[in-house]
Amino acid sequence: FTVNALALDLRTMAVHDPLGGLADLRAGQLRACSATAFTDDPLRIIRGVRQAAAYGFQIHPETRNAMKQANPGLREVSPERLRDELARMLAGLHQAACLQALDRLGALDAILPELEGLKGMEQPAPHVHDGWQHTVATLAHLEGILSILSPGFDPETANDLFTGMLAQRLGRYRLQLAAHLDESLVPGRSVRSLLSLAAIYHDIAKPPSRSVDESGRLRFLGHDEQGSIIAAARLRALQFSGPEVERVETIIRNHMRVHFHVNRLAREGKPPTRRGLYRFFRDTGQAGVETILLSLADLRATYEETLTQETWAACLDICRLFLENLWEKPKEAVAPPAILDGEGLMKALGLSPGPRVGFLLENIREAQATGKVRSRREALAHGRATLRRIESGQVRESILVDGARLYFFQRPGSGMPLVLLHGFPLDHCIWQPLLPFLPAGAWLLTPDLRGHGLSDSPPGMYTMASMADDLAAILGYLRIRRAVVVGHSMGGYVALAFAQAHTGLLAGLGLVASRATADSAEQRLTRQQLAERVQSEGVQALVDAMLHKMTASSKAAGRVRELFLKTQPAGAAGSLLGMAGRPDTSSLVASLPVPVMLLAGSRDLLIPPEQALCKGIESGTLRRVELPEAGHLPMMEFPAETAGAIARLLREAK
């Protein structure tokens, strides 16, 4: 640029200005030295935008045109040079304006091509922007928030209520925030620029994760997990270091967690528990600070002028609580000192090295953070109790999905996770008899589907797709990227819906006493009538209508009856209506690229073997298993044989 083409004679102090750089300097404009400046080195396009933002210059119209014409050459620039110039831009001023300028010049697609998909992407309330405008606004708000929380900011200059609230509630952490953001994972690139990259990519997976539920509401389930993967791939392509990729990936993966706590505090008046605080920093580590800062900017960009004082106050209170625990009392809630090491735990409990040792140590550490364990003796007692729950598959956890509390149970292990989905109107307990016959080290998950077991029973219809989304939310919470999913009866319908909507998460599919065909008109009517009876008569109507068909085993019948009576009427009715409306998925079964196992009982009175085994469908991925004496509950009637078929499916999955 002409402002760079100036020289000073140190003997005479004369300025040499062959290209009119002084005039451009006085005019506050960037003008290219020559017509070939950008074709000679297209990286100057990004540099020009950065320098214009840094010094408040305008780019000369002819120079802008030359930039536009040369931007295809950015694809030929080495990724290392693109990375370094991008990092400088994101460590400087007016980053949102820089992003928009690169977009107007047509250069953004060569650097961060995934952003194009955000343009025009509609978002539901309370969002006021489309996906692209929200991203730009998030970056702009982030810069403003960091300025307010910088050491040099004078709180007396706050010119609006929200700025004043931010300065008042989080201002005491200015020095810690500045020191944290100035850190470098590699020389020359600060954590600050990585935070900006995370802000740019935090919603990048919303377009591919977009869905519309039965009420017409837009949803973006799993966009945080998917977004972290997309962002990580882009950073690797730009040759960022492994630690930098991991940092951005962690921020994006966890950026919705602060919002969850904010909504809970604003709507229910419930602050995060000690367990919630511990788990946040356990999962975010050093990226916890950036995740908190991104959440503040994300919230402002979501609501803009519609943001209420109450919502902003709730967000600030949550962020202050997190930072307070991180920087003022870390040994209590964030990183309690270890009471036991792995060797001591294995010796005391008679364990061999393996993933369960790590799980138990982490479980004990969490119990310390929540105040349940204070001594070595209490730690060992807690470890023994947890080990018993592990062996019986009864390590219980829960998450909140769309306002419903959903419970799931684990038997922590290693290898490919195996998810077992129960049928209607039962719960995860139906799988207990076969757990001893499954591989001892396998990682097992047995959720209670919504409306069943311990999980909430919200009113309305439960489509199979919505329950499949529930499962995707659980896997996302556990950071599971692929799993084998086996479903019994209605659980099989949910597994099929999961295979359709979340194919990338599926490593193998098992249908036990289930079917891929839709209900006939008569079957739909029967389910709808039974749903009405349940709502008026209670779950006894299910016992009268279904129990005699579930199993021929008198021993199992008593247990099944107990599970029937535990089901909430709203859950039973919602599930019946959802099953009645499910689509035919026969073509899906035939086309799945993963191993599929179909298991049926010859004496099943609810779903005959010819339906359960999908007779007539041919596929190289299909394997059919028929148990001659089994009814509708083979996992309770013939647990060893059922477990053997599932174990083989697990081995086949990759």
Side-chain angles (χ1 to χ4, degrees), residues 126-238:
H127 280 276
V128 297
H129 294 310
D130 71 7
W132 165 248
Q133 293 168 327
H134 172 76
T135 297
V136 173
T138 299
L139 198 58
H141 281 295
L142 179 63
E143 188 169 0
I145 288 166
L146 294 185
S147 174
I148 294 164
L149 296 179
S150 67
F153 181 78
D154 181 2
E156 298 299 323
T157 63
N159 56 8
D160 67 80
L161 175 64
F162 292 141
T163 298
M165 292 171 67
L166 175 65
Q168 180 186 36
R169 301 196 189 194
L170 298 183
R172 72 180 194 238
Y173 298 117
R174 285 193 177 93
L175 294 178
Q176 293 98 319
L177 287 168
H180 181 87
L181 294 174
D182 284 343
E183 291 176 0
S184 296
L185 302 186
V186 297
R189 295 196 294 273
S190 68
V191 167
R192 172 69 179 83
S193 59
L194 297 178
L195 172 56
S196 294
L197 268 172
I200 292 171
Y201 270 78
H202 78 284
D203 278 347
I204 199 66
K206 278 192 169 181
S209 67
R210 181 183 183 276
S211 64
V212 182
D213 67 14
E214 58 272 11
S215 65
R217 181 181 54 162
L218 286 176
R219 306 178 78 189
F220 304 97
L221 290 167
H223 80 277
D224 43 2
E225 175 69 20
Q226 293 181 46
S228 70
I229 297 170
I230 294 171
R234 176 50 49 198
L235 264 66
R236 290 190 191 98
L238 288 169

Side-chain angles (χ1 to χ4, degrees), residues 172-173 176 323-332:
R172 72 180 194 238
Y173 298 117
Q176 293 98 319
L323 294 176
E324 179 184 281
N325 278 273
L326 175 65
W327 281 325
E328 296 182 28
K329 41 187 176 182
K331 291 184 179 180
E332 295 177 31

Side-chain angles (χ1 to χ4, degrees), residues 70 108 283 461:
L108 197 58
D283 295 340
M461 178 174 67

Side-chain angles (χ1 to χ4, degrees), residues 140-441:
H141 281 295
L142 179 63
E143 188 169 0
I145 288 166
L146 294 185
S147 174
I148 294 164
L149 296 179
S150 67
F153 181 78
D154 181 2
E156 298 299 323
T157 63
N159 56 8
D160 67 80
L161 175 64
F162 292 141
T163 298
M165 292 171 67
L166 175 65
Q168 180 186 36
R169 301 196 189 194
L170 298 183
R172 72 180 194 238
Y173 298 117
R174 285 193 177 93
L175 294 178
Q176 293 98 319
L177 287 168
H180 181 87
L181 294 174
D182 284 343
E183 291 176 0
S184 296
L185 302 186
V186 297
R189 295 196 294 273
S190 68
V191 167
R192 172 69 179 83
S193 59
L194 297 178
L195 172 56
S196 294
L197 268 172
I200 292 171
Y201 270 78
H202 78 284
D203 278 347
I204 199 66
K206 278 192 169 181
S209 67
R210 181 183 183 276
S211 64
V212 182
D213 67 14
E214 58 272 11
S215 65
R217 181 181 54 162
L218 286 176
R219 306 178 78 189
F220 304 97
L221 290 167
H223 80 277
D224 43 2
E225 175 69 20
Q226 293 181 46
S228 70
I229 297 170
I230 294 171
R234 176 50 49 198
L235 264 66
R236 290 190 191 98
L238 288 169
Q239 299 297 310
F240 279 89
S241 69
E244 290 174 304
V245 173
E246 184 179 355
R247 182 67 67 94
V248 172
E249 195 174 12
T250 301
I251 298 168
I252 295 174
R253 184 189 299 123
N254 291 282
H255 81 272
M256 294 298 294
R257 293 176 71 162
V258 173
H259 298 321
F260 163 77
H261 290 293
V262 171
N263 290 334
R264 194 163 181 255
L265 180 62
R267 295 173 185 174
E268 304 174 39
K270 295 180 179 179
T273 62
R274 290 180 66 176
R275 183 187 187 203
L277 283 165
Y278 172 78
R279 288 194 169 187
F280 176 80
F281 285 108
R282 178 198 69 186
D283 295 340
T284 59
Q286 291 297 309
V289 175
E290 297 98 284
T291 307
I292 291 166
L293 293 169
L294 175 57
S295 299
L296 288 165
D298 191 15
L299 187 78
R300 289 298 305 267
T302 296
Y303 287 89
E304 295 288 13
E305 67 279 357
T306 68
L307 180 64
T308 65
Q309 181 179 340
E310 292 75 19
T311 300
W312 186 234
C315 185
L316 292 174
D317 286 345
I318 293 296
C319 294
R320 179 174 59 184
L321 182 63
F322 280 146
L323 294 176
E324 179 184 281
N325 278 273
L326 175 65
W327 281 325
E328 296 182 28
K329 41 187 176 182
K331 291 184 179 180
E332 295 177 31
V334 176
I339 295 176
L340 274 173
D341 60 14
E343 185 177 346
L345 183 67
M346 288 189 290
K347 184 177 179 180
L349 301 187
L351 295 171
S352 300
R356 287 187 183 176
V357 175
F359 182 88
L360 286 171
L361 286 172
E362 173 55 37
N363 200 269
I364 290 169
R365 195 163 183 249
E366 181 177 291
Q368 286 180 252
T370 57
K372 295 178 181 178
V373 166
R374 297 179 178 85
S375 66
R376 178 182 173 86
R377 181 171 171 272
E378 289 178 346
L380 287 173
H382 183 84
R384 288 190 184 94
T386 303
L387 184 59
R388 287 194 294 270
R389 291 197 300 274
I390 288 175
E391 290 170 346
S392 62
Q394 290 294 312
V395 177
R396 187 180 78 180
E397 293 196 61
S398 68
I399 62 169
L400 201 63
V401 180
D402 289 344
R405 176 68 59 182
L406 303 179
Y407 284 84
F408 60 94
F409 299 80
Q410 289 197 65
R411 192 182 79 181
S414 59
M416 180 71 70
L418 171 63
V419 181
L420 302 174
L421 302 177
H422 62 79
F424 172 85
L426 308 163
D427 67 20
H428 76 282
C429 293
I430 67 168
W431 299 106
Q432 292 297 314
L434 61 70
L435 296 190
F437 301 101
L438 288 170

Side-chain angles (χ1 to χ4, degrees), residues 449-530:
L449 296 172
R450 65 171 57 212
H452 297 75
L454 297 177
S455 292
D456 285 352
S457 303
M461 178 174 67
Y462 306 164
T463 64
M464 302 300 101
S466 66
M467 289 199 273
D469 290 341
D470 291 345
L471 174 57
I474 291 172
L475 296 184
Y477 171 77
L478 294 171
R479 307 295 179 244
I480 294 174
R481 295 186 174 177
R482 294 189 80 221
V484 171
V485 181
V486 176
H488 165 252
S489 195
M490 181 188 72
Y493 309 152
V494 175
L496 286 163
F498 181 84
Q500 191 160 42
H502 305 282
T503 311
L505 298 176
L506 190 71
L509 175 70
L511 303 181
V512 177
S514 189
R515 59 190 173 95
T517 53
D519 278 0
S520 65
E522 182 181 354
Q523 289 168 329
R524 284 196 297 272
L525 180 60
T526 299
R527 289 196 203 271
Q528 291 161 358
Q529 291 173 339
L530 184 54

